[in-house]
């Protein structure tokens, strides 16, 4: 687990290293423009936007190659970690019969009738329709409960 946490921490540091120059330049330009606006008493909010955009754009252009190198190094280290370290460490690898004893999608997929699957496989062009018994057993999903109408809506529905 330690190499993965170290890689995550390195990813955060790379994120800070790439975004920090842009943020600092934008803050510096905002400070300078704010001081100039205070001195000249021109209080227009849009004046600060154009210099900030241009300065951040220049920082991205100037530092772009370095940013790409940093990201490339992070990516290659991540691939080396994923393909060389994790498969060789027994703490990260699941046994081959792991899914035999677990049900990963227990609440999401339930198929009760295997004969319907055979019918679907034999007739790929036909759309299977639900029969009336299954229509009667339909229950709304617990994840998205259907709200009950309030008193006014109930009266409108019933025509009172």
């Amino acid at each position: 687990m330690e190499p993965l946490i170290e890689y995550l921490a390195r990813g955060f540091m790379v994120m800070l290293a790439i975004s920090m120059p842009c943020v600092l330049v934008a803050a510096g330009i905002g400070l300078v423009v704010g001081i100039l606006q205070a001195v000249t008493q021109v209080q227009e909010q849009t004046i600060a936007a154009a210099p900030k955009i241009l300065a951040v754009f220049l920082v991205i252009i100037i530092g772009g190659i370095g940013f790409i190198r940093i990201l490339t190094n992070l990516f290659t280290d991540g691939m080396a970690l994923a393909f060389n370290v994790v498969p060789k460490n027994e703490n990260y690898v699941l046994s081959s019969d792991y899914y035999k004893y677990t049900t990963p999608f227990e609440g999401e997929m339930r198929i009760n009738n295997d004969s319907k699957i055979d019918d679907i496989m034999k007739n790929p062009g036909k759309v299977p329709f639900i029969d009336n018994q299954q229509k009667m057993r339909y229950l709304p999903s617990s994840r998205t409960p259907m709200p009950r109408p309030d008193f006014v809506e109930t009266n409108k529905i019933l025509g009172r």
Side-chain angles (χ1 to χ4, degrees), residues 107-108 140-145:
E108 297 179 22
S141 172
S142 61
R143 293 184 186 167
T144 55

mmCIF file of all heavy atoms in Angstrom, residues 107-108 140-145:
data_model
loop_
_atom_site.group_PDB
_atom_site.id
_atom_site.type_symbol
_atom_site.label_atom_id
_atom_site.label_comp_id
_atom_site.label_asym_id
_atom_site.label_seq_id
_atom_site.Cartn_x
_atom_site.Cartn_y
_atom_site.Cartn_z
ATOM 1 N N GLY A 107 -26.880 -6.630 -5.582
ATOM 2 C CA GLY A 107 -28.129 -5.890 -5.575
ATOM 3 C C GLY A 107 -28.532 -5.333 -6.918
ATOM 4 O O GLY A 107 -29.638 -4.849 -7.087
ATOM 5 N N GLU A 108 -27.681 -5.423 -7.925
ATOM 6 C CA GLU A 108 -27.972 -4.768 -9.195
ATOM 7 C C GLU A 108 -28.538 -5.706 -10.248
ATOM 8 O O GLU A 108 -29.411 -5.323 -11.006
ATOM 9 C CB GLU A 108 -26.702 -4.100 -9.715
ATOM 10 C CG GLU A 108 -26.218 -3.007 -8.799
ATOM 11 C CD GLU A 108 -24.950 -2.379 -9.304
ATOM 12 O OE1 GLU A 108 -24.668 -2.479 -10.491
ATOM 13 O OE2 GLU A 108 -24.238 -1.793 -8.487
ATOM 14 N N PRO A 140 -40.803 -0.381 -7.250
ATOM 15 C CA PRO A 140 -39.900 0.728 -7.581
ATOM 16 C C PRO A 140 -38.545 0.531 -6.914
ATOM 17 O O PRO A 140 -38.443 -0.087 -5.857
ATOM 18 C CB PRO A 140 -40.614 1.968 -7.058
ATOM 19 C CG PRO A 140 -41.648 1.470 -6.126
ATOM 20 C CD PRO A 140 -41.961 0.060 -6.505
ATOM 21 N N SER A 141 -37.547 1.057 -7.532
ATOM 22 C CA SER A 141 -36.185 0.934 -7.024
ATOM 23 C C SER A 141 -36.043 1.663 -5.695
ATOM 24 O O SER A 141 -36.619 2.729 -5.490
ATOM 25 C CB SER A 141 -35.201 1.515 -8.039
ATOM 26 O OG SER A 141 -33.921 1.571 -7.500
ATOM 27 N N SER A 142 -35.276 1.082 -4.811
ATOM 28 C CA SER A 142 -35.072 1.725 -3.511
ATOM 29 C C SER A 142 -34.120 2.912 -3.628
ATOM 30 O O SER A 142 -34.063 3.756 -2.758
ATOM 31 C CB SER A 142 -34.507 0.707 -2.519
ATOM 32 O OG SER A 142 -33.258 0.241 -2.991
ATOM 33 N N ARG A 143 -33.358 2.964 -4.722
ATOM 34 C CA ARG A 143 -32.418 4.070 -4.897
ATOM 35 C C ARG A 143 -33.122 5.365 -5.275
ATOM 36 O O ARG A 143 -32.698 6.436 -4.937
ATOM 37 C CB ARG A 143 -31.396 3.722 -5.971
ATOM 38 C CG ARG A 143 -30.484 2.614 -5.563
ATOM 39 C CD ARG A 143 -29.461 2.378 -6.607
ATOM 40 N NE ARG A 143 -28.673 1.207 -6.265
ATOM 41 C CZ ARG A 143 -27.880 0.601 -7.075
ATOM 42 N NH1 ARG A 143 -27.730 1.036 -8.297
ATOM 43 N NH2 ARG A 143 -27.193 -0.443 -6.699
ATOM 44 N N THR A 144 -34.188 5.256 -6.058
ATOM 45 C CA THR A 144 -34.920 6.450 -6.460
ATOM 46 C C THR A 144 -36.371 6.291 -6.018
ATOM 47 O O THR A 144 -37.207 5.835 -6.783
ATOM 48 C CB THR A 144 -34.858 6.643 -7.988
ATOM 49 O OG1 THR A 144 -35.348 5.446 -8.616
ATOM 50 C CG2 THR A 144 -33.456 6.917 -8.444
ATOM 51 N N PRO A 145 -36.680 6.622 -4.793
ATOM 52 C CA PRO A 145 -38.050 6.432 -4.323
ATOM 53 C C PRO A 145 -39.009 7.351 -5.057
ATOM 54 O O PRO A 145 -38.674 8.473 -5.421
ATOM 55 C CB PRO A 145 -37.966 6.796 -2.836
ATOM 56 C CG PRO A 145 -36.789 7.668 -2.726
ATOM 57 C CD PRO A 145 -35.828 7.230 -3.792
#
